[in-house]
Amino acid sequence: MTTRELYTPGPATGAQVRKEGEKWTLILVRELRHAPEKVWSALTDPAQLCEWAPFEVDGSLATVGAPVNFTWSGTGRQQLTTVTRADAPRVLEYGDIRWELEALGGVTRGGGTRLTLWHNIDRRFISWGAAGWHICFDVLDRLLSGTPIGRIAGPDATQFGWQRLKAEYATQFGVKDQ
C-alpha cells in the first residue's frame, strides 16, 4: 500500500466557529514543523497549491491587487478574486479567506509555524468546510515534510475519512450535519 492509501485523518480538533449576525466564520488552527517562509510559499505558489489545496489558481497569491481565478477541486466551479493583503510571511487575504502565520520558536520546539485559517462560509456547510480543510492541512504538512501524498479534496476526500470528520465537527459546532 502507498502512503496515500494508508492516510487516515486524526480526530476533529483545532477548529471553532464565530457567528456575527448572518455571517459564519470557520477558524482552523494547525501547528506545522516548518518555517513561516516555507508555509507562505505553499500558500501562494500555484505549483504547490495544486498539491494540497481544494482549488487551483492561475497565478501567484503573493501580490496585492492581483486578480486570480480559482478552480475548485471536484466541482470545476470557477471564482475570480483579488488578493487584498499579502504581508509575507505573516498574513494573506483573498476573497472569503484569511491566513495568519505565526512563527513558533524555542529549542525544544525546533521552530515551526502556527497556521490559522479564517474562512467565511455558509452555515449549512461549516462542518463540510472544517472536514475538508482538516484533510488539506494534513496533506500540506506531508508536502512540506517531503513526503507528499497528493491532493485529497472534493469527492476524493470521501474516501479518506471526510464523512467522519464532518460529523465530528458538526457535533462540536452544534450544527445539523447535512
Side-chain angles (χ1 to χ4, degrees), residues 68-138:
V68 180
N69 190 41
F70 284 68
T71 302
W72 292 87
S73 182
T75 67
R77 182 175 64 91
Q78 294 195 350
Q79 174 185 357
L80 183 63
T81 193
T82 302
V83 177
T84 54
R85 187 169 176 191
D87 298 333
R90 297 177 304 124
V91 180
L92 177 65
E93 292 180 9
Y94 50 85
D96 291 333
I97 294 176
R98 174 185 172 96
W99 298 96
E100 295 178 359
L101 295 81
E102 178 186 346
L104 300 173
V107 176
T108 57
R109 296 183 73 99
T113 302
R114 177 175 295 116
L115 179 62
T116 304
L117 166 68
W118 301 71
H119 188 177
N120 297 334
I121 193 167
D122 187 307
R123 176 194 183 282
R124 295 172 297 167
F125 305 109
I126 202 95
S127 61
W128 294 38
W133 280 116
H134 179 119
I135 292 171
C136 287
F137 279 16
D138 286 351

Side-chain angles (χ1 to χ4, degrees), residues 119 156 173:
H119 188 177
D156 289 344
F173 302 155

Side-chain angles (χ1 to χ4, degrees), residues 14-174:
Q16 61 178 297
V17 174
R18 292 210 181 135
K19 182 179 183 272
E20 294 177 21
E22 293 302 309
K23 180 178 156 185
W24 288 67
T25 303
L26 170 65
I27 304 163
L28 279 165
V29 179
R30 179 74 63 96
E31 289 190 4
L32 302 169
R33 301 171 305 243
H34 317 284
E37 294 78 13
K38 188 172 185 178
V39 177
W40 177 265
S41 182
L43 295 177
T44 59
D45 175 34
Q48 291 186 63
L49 284 164
C50 73
E51 293 293 321
W52 70 271
F55 51 76
E56 293 183 22
V57 295
D58 66 357
S60 173
L61 294 174
T63 307
V64 172
V68 180
N69 190 41
F70 284 68
T71 302
W72 292 87
S73 182
T75 67
R77 182 175 64 91
Q78 294 195 350
Q79 174 185 357
L80 183 63
T81 193
T82 302
V83 177
T84 54
R85 187 169 176 191
D87 298 333
R90 297 177 304 124
V91 180
L92 177 65
E93 292 180 9
Y94 50 85
D96 291 333
I97 294 176
R98 174 185 172 96
W99 298 96
E100 295 178 359
L101 295 81
E102 178 186 346
L104 300 173
V107 176
T108 57
R109 296 183 73 99
T113 302
R114 177 175 295 116
L115 179 62
T116 304
L117 166 68
W118 301 71
H119 188 177
N120 297 334
I121 193 167
D122 187 307
R123 176 194 183 282
R124 295 172 297 167
F125 305 109
I126 202 95
S127 61
W128 294 38
W133 280 116
H134 179 119
I135 292 171
C136 287
F137 279 16
D138 286 351
V139 174
L140 170 62
D141 190 40
R142 284 167 175 76
L143 174 68
L144 294 174
S145 296
T147 55
I149 61 173
R151 176 184 6 212
I152 300 174
D156 289 344
T158 61
Q159 300 170 32
F160 293 93
W162 177 82
Q163 291 168 322
R164 173 187 54 83
L165 283 171
K166 178 176 64 102
E168 289 176 15
Y169 281 119
T171 299
Q172 285 181 28
F173 302 155

